Amino acid sequence: VPNIQVCQIGGNSPEMCGESTRIVVEDFGYHEVNLNIDCPSDRVSLEREFGAILMKKAETAYQVVEAMQNHAPPGIPISVKCRVGVDD
């Protein structure tokens, strides 16, 4: 069984999430990077505008994932942890 290390990051800035992806893979050796758009905490979703709130901001979420993919070395999976839905 391989020992696969996955790093989960959170954010709403494509540039910062992209660079974070590069760093955790190249500098720390992670095998996969996951974007958290699941956290419903008000401190995360409302104050900092990432986590579950990104489910209501599909274009931003798309741009973040695209930046992560563009900064990841070839063969590094990028995944998204999300909820079934978001309450208004």
Side-chain angles (χ1 to χ4, degrees), residues 67-80:
M68 291 170 67
Q69 290 172 328
N70 290 339
H71 282 78
I76 297 294
I78 303 297
S79 58
V80 176

Side-chain angles (χ1 to χ4, degrees), residues 26-43:
E26 291 181 359
D27 295 351
F28 296 100
Y30 283 91
H31 303 104
E32 180 178 339
V33 184
N34 175 272
L35 176 66
N36 182 337
I37 62 171
D38 177 60
C39 185
S41 164
D42 287 346
R43 278 188 12 214

Side-chain angles (χ1 to χ4, degrees), residues 12 41-50 53:
N12 63 7
S41 164
D42 287 346
R43 278 188 12 214
V44 170
S45 284
L46 298 179
E47 291 176 26
R48 297 188 179 109
E49 295 190 342
F50 68 94
I53 199 74

Side-chain angles (χ1 to χ4, degrees), residues 4-6 8 12 14 22 25-26 30 43 53 58 70 72 75 83:
I4 296 174
Q5 302 289 321
V6 179
Q8 184 176 82
N12 63 7
R22 185 196 63 74
V25 173
E26 291 181 359
Y30 283 91
R43 278 188 12 214
I53 199 74
N70 290 339
R83 296 185 159 268

Side-chain angles (χ1 to χ4, degrees), residues 50-87:
F50 68 94
I53 199 74
L54 283 182
M55 291 185 64
K56 292 184 175 184
K57 299 180 177 191
E59 183 62 29
T60 300
Y62 174 83
Q63 291 170 354
V64 169
V65 171
E66 183 177 49
M68 291 170 67
Q69 290 172 328
N70 290 339
H71 282 78
I76 297 294
I78 303 297
S79 58
V80 176
K81 177 182 176 187
C82 61
R83 296 185 159 268
V84 172
V86 180
D87 294 333

